[in-house]
Amino acid sequence: MPLTSTDQVLGTCPQALAQAVRAEVRRGLDWQQTAELVAVTLRRRLPDPATILPPPLLGGDEAGYQSHLLHAEPDGSFSISAMVWLPGQQTPVHDHVAWCVTGVLQGHEHEEIFALTDGARALRLVTRSENAAGTVSAFAPPGDIHRVRNTGTSIAISMHVYGADISRLGNSIRREYPLPIR
Ligand SMILES: [Fe+2]
């Protein structure tokens, strides 16, 4: 499981990025449209990891991938975090409570997207992608069951924008899917 530090802000979110995300969220569009607009915004403003996390957090942790809160919007409408993965570390198969936009800042993240099959007793791989630094992806439930793994040989760092208040929820995972993959 991830080591999370989501109840307090430990990193720094660029003000211009938070302002730009706020402007898109306040349009009041549906989740898919909001996620796509936030993805465009994030793609233009992907920060250098060294500007958002203090040096001790850039090195990751052998205990598991880590999530560090960078910004929690006061009205609860969105949150921004940074995740740090050592080679081989991965999430469980999971989905989210709201839209989510991810941007790889450093290293490689391998992502697999699944669908339920066999009466929701198993998973079927729908697609997979190898996301290098600079890749931004947008998700909006339903259809966002996925797993992310650092398949590279170096530390991977990514930025995540969620349409939820993870300072209150702890994280944005709706549920995990510990099911066989067919
Ligand atoms: Fe996720």
Side-chain angles (χ1 to χ4, degrees), residues 141-157:
D144 64 323
I145 301 174
H146 67 158
R147 175 170 65 183
V148 181
R149 176 179 172 89
N150 178 3
T151 53
T153 56
S154 60
I155 294 169
I157 299 178

Side-chain angles (χ1 to χ4, degrees), residues 42-55:
L42 181 60
R43 200 172 283 119
R44 289 195 192 118
R45 295 176 177 80
L46 286 173
D48 181 334
T51 66
I52 60 171
L53 290 176

Side-chain angles (χ1 to χ4, degrees), residues 61-86:
D61 193 304
E62 294 285 350
Y65 73 94
Q66 300 178 80
S67 177
H68 303 294
L69 183 63
L70 303 180
H71 176 86
E73 184 70 355
D75 68 3
S77 59
F78 70 94
S79 312
I80 302 177
S81 66
M83 298 179 83
V84 183
W85 321 67
L86 296 180

